[in-house]
Amino acid sequence: MNTETRDPNRLTAWAHGGGCGCKIAPAVLQRLLAQVPPHLAPPELLVGTATSDDAAVYRLRDDLALVATTDFFTPVVDDAFDFGAIAATNALSDVYAMGGQPLLALALVGMPIQQLPEAVIARVLEGGAVACRSAGVVLAGGHSIDTVEPIYGLAAIGTVHPDHIQTNAGAQPGDLLVLGKPLGVGVLSAALKKGLLDADGYAQMRRWTTLLNRAGAVLGPLPGVHAMTDVTGFGLAGHLLEMCRPAGLLATVDSAALPVLEISRALVRQGIGTGASGRNWASYGESVDLSALPEGDRALWQTLVTDPQTSGGLLVACAPPALEAVQAAFTQAQGQPGWVIGQLQAAPAGTTPGLRLR
C-alpha cells in the first residue's frame, strides 16, 4: 500500500504484523542462532542464551546481579498512547519474568517521520513513559531512527539476588503450572486489523496488555517456585515447551482450566487468527499432543495455545505446597490469583519433552 494513503490514526495499517506476533518464528530463530559464533561466557554471566530465557543476568557481587533485556515491536493497536504503553509493559515483563525488579529503561524508537504526524509519535512516547512511571522505572533516554514501519520498545535494566533468579530450566516433576493472564490477545489484534473488534473487546485487550507483571519480583524469592517465564510471541505452547525441554518434562494442561478471553474464543470459531499462530505450530506442533481433545475442538485449541500473546502473563512452575503463596503474590499484584492450568511430570522413557492438552 502507498504510504500516502495510510491513515495516521490507524497505526496497525503501517505494519505487516503487530506486537509479539511479529517475532521471528521459533524454528527460524533457532536456525539463525545456530550460526552465531560462541560468545564470551565469563562466570559472572549467570543467564545467557543457552536456555532461551527472557533476559540476561550478570552477577555484580554475591548478593546482587543485573538483569538486562530488550523488546520492541510494530503496532498491535491503532491508538498511539496505548501502543507505547503496551510495548513498554511488555518489555519490562522480561525483567519480572526472571524474578527481578526493573529500575532503568531506554526507549527504542523507529518511526516513519515524513508520514506520521509528530503529535502521533509523541503520544507513543508518552504512553511508554507513563507505563515506566507506573512501574517505578526511570526512563533515562533512548535511541531513535527513521523507519518504514512504526517500532517502539525498551532496553531495560533491573536487579535480582543471584539466589532468586528464575529461568526456564528449573522446573521439576510434580510442579503445578500457574498462568497469570488469559489467552487470546493475538486473536483480538487480528480482529482489530480487520475492523471486527468491538469496544468491549478492545477494552479487554488494553486491560490485560497494560497490566504489569510485577508479581514476578515477589515470586522470584518464594520457596518452591522453580521456573518462570512470560507468555509472548511463541504462544503458551511455545513458551511452555521452552520450560519442559531443559528439564526433560511432559506438561499436561487441562483445556477447561485455561483462561481465555471469551470474545477471542468466538472470533477463532469465526476463522479469525494470526499468521504467527500458524508459524508457531509449524515450528513446534510435533511436540504438542491434542489427541485427547474432542475432534471438533482441536482446531480451536491449536489456535489458542499457539496464539502470540503481546504482553502476556507470567507462567510459573511451582511445587504444590507453594501454590497458596504463589496465588497470594498474584492477587496482591494484579487483583486475581492466576489460574492453575496443569502439571509437569518426567517425560516417559523413550519420548521427547512435550505438551499434552486434554
Side-chain angles (χ1 to χ4, degrees):
M1 183 187 295
N2 188 302
T3 57
E4 282 74 17
T5 68
R6 302 189 196 188
D7 183 350
N9 295 310
R10 287 208 65 208
L11 289 181
T12 57
W14 292 77
H16 74 287
C20 289
C22 66
K23 290 177 73 169
I24 295 174
V28 176
L29 182 60
Q30 188 175 23
R31 292 196 299 270
L32 293 173
L33 293 177
Q35 301 176 54
V36 176
H39 58 272
L40 293 175
E44 293 82 5
L45 184 64
L46 303 180
V47 180
T49 60
T51 53
S52 301
D53 267 295
D54 300 293
V57 183
Y58 190 91
R59 185 179 62 234
L60 297 177
R61 57 180 194 241
D62 289 346
D63 64 345
L64 184 66
L66 282 181
V67 183
T69 185
T70 184
D71 207 315
F72 51 89
F73 47 61
T74 53
V76 67
V77 293
D78 291 321
D79 183 273
F81 181 93
D82 289 351
F83 170 42
I86 292 167
T89 303
N90 176 76
L92 296 176
S93 180
D94 287 340
V95 178
Y96 291 127
M98 304 301 295
Q101 177 65 53
L103 300 175
L104 176 74
L106 302 173
L108 305 173
V109 184
M111 294 288 162
I113 298 298
Q114 299 303 317
Q115 284 78 40
L116 279 182
E118 290 185 6
V120 171
I121 298 172
R123 285 287 283 170
V124 175
L125 304 184
E126 182 185 359
V130 169
C132 286
R133 186 164 63 244
S134 177
V137 170
V138 178
L139 186 55
H143 184 69
S144 60
I145 59 173
D146 190 349
T147 55
V148 175
E149 295 180 296
I151 297 169
Y152 184 78
L154 302 176
I157 299 291
T159 58
V160 67
H161 192 291
D163 294 340
H164 300 159
I165 299 166
Q166 296 295 335
T167 72
N168 289 330
Q172 299 180 16
D175 279 352
L176 297 172
L177 295 167
V178 184
L179 181 62
K181 296 184 185 181
L183 305 177
V185 166
V187 174
L188 299 190
S189 175
L192 177 69
K193 291 196 73 168
K194 295 176 182 292
L196 299 175
L197 190 65
D198 62 19
D200 179 63
Y202 184 81
Q204 291 185 51
M205 182 181 179
R206 187 186 187 282
R207 173 196 172 191
W208 290 107
T209 55
T210 58
L211 178 65
L212 290 161
N213 280 327
R214 60 173 87 241
V218 179
L219 292 166
L222 283 183
V225 174
H226 297 141
M228 187 160 57
T229 187
D230 61 343
V231 178
T232 55
F234 298 158
L236 173 66
H239 292 285
L240 182 49
L241 286 170
E242 288 181 337
M243 189 178 283
C244 290
R245 286 169 177 156
L249 299 173
L250 171 67
T252 299
V253 172
D254 184 357
S255 61
L258 278 175
V260 177
L261 295 170
E262 280 306 310
I263 189 170
S264 68
R265 194 191 303 258
L267 287 165
V268 171
R269 293 199 183 279
Q270 296 171 33
I272 304 300
T274 69
S277 179
R279 294 191 295 272
N280 283 340
W281 184 258
S283 294
Y284 57 66
E286 73 281 354
S287 298
V288 181
D289 181 5
L290 304 178
S291 63
L293 296 173
E295 188 171 353
D297 291 341
R298 292 174 192 171
L300 168 73
W301 286 110
Q302 178 179 319
T303 298
L304 289 172
V305 299
T306 57
D307 188 47
Q309 301 303 287
T310 298
S311 192
L314 294 176
L315 178 64
V316 181
C318 69
L323 178 61
E324 184 177 353
V326 167
Q327 293 193 305
F330 272 118
T331 299
Q332 181 180 8
Q334 59 189 50
Q336 54 85 26
W339 292 266
V340 181
I341 63 169
Q343 195 163 21
L344 299 170
Q345 66 185 75
T351 66
T352 57
L355 163 62
R356 180 174 57 201
L357 201 64
R358 64 184 185 189

